Amino acid sequence: MTALTNKHILLGVTGGIAAYKSAVLARRLMDEGAAVQVIMTPGAQAFVQPLTFQALTGNPVRLDLLDPAAEAAMGHIELARWADAILIAPASANTLARLAHGMASDLLSTVCLATEAPIHVAPAMNRLMWQNTATIANCQTLASRGVLFFGPAEGAQACGETGAGRMLEPEEIRDALLTCLHPDARSSEVGSTTPADRYSHTGRTASRSTAGRLSGKRILITAGPTRESIDPVRYISNHSSGKMGFALAEEALKAGAQVTLIAGPVSLQSAPGIRRIDVISADDMLRAVLAQAGSADVFISVAAVSDYRLEQVMDQKIKKNNDHMALSLVRNPDILKSVASLTERPFCVGFAAETEQLEAHARAKMQSKRLDMIAANHVGQPANPVFGTDTNSLEVYWPGKHGHAHIPAASKHEVAASLLSIIAERLKARESHDDKCPPGVQR
Ligand code: PMT
């Protein structure tokens, strides 16, 4: 028995060269014991014959919304009710746009509107179409409604270009769906390295609790370490993996926010719909953050920014001629403090990585950087060093004697969802206070 045994999977196939792989995908789902029915869009039929899917699944392939013969048997509403899960692979840019806009212009989009089943999409398109802001906005809308994304992968594309936009392999999509439909899908996230964990907006529980709470808010997040060059082959950095910041970015997206993620050098893939800017050094990060901060409602500074950099980066590799060596370092700019000092500033949330006296150190940082909130985590403990792990717990502080909340140990995604709920509440409280204060009155 697997999570797909006896499950009714409605496979939507849309127009793209990857449609030929969907025949293998149908087979792989059936191998797991799933019953598969296929809907093909007109675009899909230009690439693959419906007969292929009919022969593989043993079911007639559904092609038209207004098909009297098909409606007399299992109409589109019955099809929508029949499905335990809908999987659209490949999902073209056109289909994503129609789903995001709630269109009911063909059988597939109509069934998606009429179903209560979870919808999963495996996008496939040219890399520039995938990066287009219209596609990003559509993915963001879909993700905020709970649609789960599998991929796309990066690599050589049928159009001759190279980049993100390739559909995942059928086996990867099957594994991702297995993970999502597993009854313990939420707990299996922790430490999981399955394709679903790498590619999907994981978990529905958090998305329900935060859904829409940050709707329309523009959230800027930094994540990961920064890297400060010593010479062409060496650098100073730290152990941040970016997991905490990436989890916040995904959960903020699910909560309806427009998310910009400024990431230091990490090996994580960000969810579709997140606008990501990659940087290396603290200076790069400062420039990228200041370029975005003016249009952000909230800034969450999760990055472990190197506090120092080399006074002078060497042009050539340093030779190991001496037993001792001293490097001369200078302070890096404080990115968070720079944003919090702007006249038109977003709601500023800092992170504090502490090994002792959590509250005292965190509150001191909040005060010296003039923050609206700070989330302190206890780092460096053998049981959970936080850096690089999949779990965390936080003590959250904001100005005022009673400004404190505890977020118990959980996956970084769950912790992120809880922190975003607190931020949404504080933001709301501040906005309603602002409404009541006449201009010029200090809060
Ligand atoms: O990435 P992970 O492996 O998931 O690990 C997560 C984490 C431990 C990195 C994260 O939870 C965390 O604690 N991030 C902040 C780490 C840190 O740099 O703390 P700090 O106490 O040194 O800095 C305080 C705040 O100032 C932070 O918000 C930091 O982003 C910011 N800062 C610090 C220095 C600097 N030059 N510029 C900054 O903006």
Side-chain angles (χ1 to χ4, degrees), residues 240-242 244 301-303 333 335-336 351 365 369 377 388 412:
S240 171
S241 62
M244 190 66 239
S301 182
V302 195
I335 300 170
L336 178 54
F351 263 67
K365 277 180 191 169
K369 298 186 192 224
N377 35 208
K412 282 183 176 168

Side-chain angles (χ1 to χ4, degrees), residues 222-225 238-245 266 282 285 299-308 331-338 349-354 365 369 371 374-377 379 385-389 392 394 412:
T222 61
N238 58 64
H239 295 298
S240 171
S241 62
K243 286 181 180 177
M244 190 66 239
V266 294
M285 189 174 272
F299 174 46
I300 312 177
S301 182
V302 195
V305 184
S306 301
D307 289 315
Y308 292 89
R331 267 305 272 274
N332 262 332
D334 190 312
I335 300 170
L336 178 54
K337 198 169 179 175
S338 309
V349 182
F351 263 67
E354 305 295 343
K365 277 180 191 169
K369 298 186 192 224
L371 307 180
I374 196 155
N377 35 208
V379 296
V386 182
F387 283 98
T389 63
N392 199 4
L394 293 174
K412 282 183 176 168

Side-chain angles (χ1 to χ4, degrees), residues 175-217:
D175 290 350
L177 193 63
L178 274 168
T179 306
C180 290
L181 297 185
H182 193 277
D184 299 331
R186 184 97 201 131
S187 56
S188 68
E189 273 173 47
V190 180
S192 165
T193 54
T194 63
D197 193 40
R198 280 188 284 130
Y199 294 114
S200 76
H201 297 268
T202 44
R204 292 173 172 274
T205 318
S207 107
R208 282 208 189 102
S209 64
T210 54
R213 296 200 68 174
L214 291 165
S215 192
K217 294 283 180 234

Side-chain angles (χ1 to χ4, degrees), residues 124-415:
M125 65 196 75
N126 164 271
R127 69 177 177 92
L128 293 175
M129 292 170 76
W130 176 245
Q131 284 165 13
N132 191 291
T133 45
T135 306
I136 291 173
N138 291 333
C139 291
Q140 195 170 355
T141 302
L142 293 172
S144 70
R145 292 185 198 143
V147 172
L148 296 175
F149 282 75
F150 301 155
E154 289 193 23
Q157 300 198 286
C159 55
E161 297 185 14
T162 303
R166 277 169 67 101
M167 188 173 88
L168 296 187
E169 293 305 318
E171 292 74 17
E172 290 179 299
I173 298 173
R174 173 206 57 200
D175 290 350
L177 193 63
L178 274 168
T179 306
C180 290
L181 297 185
H182 193 277
D184 299 331
R186 184 97 201 131
S187 56
S188 68
E189 273 173 47
V190 180
S192 165
T193 54
T194 63
D197 193 40
R198 280 188 284 130
Y199 294 114
S200 76
H201 297 268
T202 44
R204 292 173 172 274
T205 318
S207 107
R208 282 208 189 102
S209 64
T210 54
R213 296 200 68 174
L214 291 165
S215 192
K217 294 283 180 234
R218 292 157 304 177
I219 301 202
L220 178 63
I221 298 172
T222 61
T226 63
R227 211 179 256 180
E228 311 299 327
S229 290
I230 297 174
D231 66 17
V233 297
R234 304 177 179 100
Y235 57 80
I236 299 172
S237 191
N238 58 64
H239 295 298
S240 171
S241 62
K243 286 181 180 177
M244 190 66 239
F246 275 58
L248 268 158
E250 277 194 34
E251 296 299 329
L253 188 74
K254 286 186 203 169
Q258 292 171 33
V259 183
T260 301
L261 175 63
I262 298 180
V266 294
S267 57
L268 298 177
Q269 191 157 2
S270 47
I274 291 173
R275 185 165 165 252
R276 172 171 173 176
I277 301 167
D278 287 305
V279 297
I280 303 287
S281 68
D283 256 341
D284 298 340
M285 189 174 272
L286 176 71
R287 270 193 295 274
V289 167
L290 289 180
Q292 306 297 326
S295 56
D297 299 304
V298 179
F299 174 46
I300 312 177
S301 182
V302 195
V305 184
S306 301
D307 289 315
Y308 292 89
R309 67 173 185 277
L310 265 282
E311 189 168 23
Q312 197 186 354
V313 179
M314 298 298 155
D315 287 338
Q316 305 300 331
K317 186 179 171 191
I318 302 172
K319 293 289 167 202
K320 38 186 178 296
N321 296 331
N322 301 316
D323 287 344
H324 293 94
M325 169 186 265
L327 294 173
S328 179
L329 304 178
V330 290
R331 267 305 272 274
N332 262 332
D334 190 312
I335 300 170
L336 178 54
K337 198 169 179 175
S338 309
V339 174
S341 309
L342 296 172
T343 324
E344 293 287 317
R345 57 175 252 176
F347 185 92
C348 288
V349 182
F351 263 67
E354 305 295 343
T355 54
E356 45 146 16
Q357 297 184 57
L358 226 60
E359 176 160 8
H361 290 319
R363 282 196 183 273
K365 277 180 191 169
M366 179 166 68
Q367 209 169 8
S368 71
K369 298 186 192 224
R370 298 182 56 243
L371 307 180
D372 298 292
M373 186 180 283
I374 196 155
N377 35 208
H378 204 165
V379 296
Q381 300 173 102
N384 186 3
V386 182
F387 283 98
T389 63
D390 290 311
T391 56
N392 199 4
S393 64
L394 293 174
E395 300 301 330
V396 186
Y397 303 102
W398 55 93
K401 210 166 54 182
H402 302 295
H404 172 232
H406 168 67
I407 301 177
S411 77
K412 282 183 176 168
H413 275 270
E414 284 165 314
V415 167

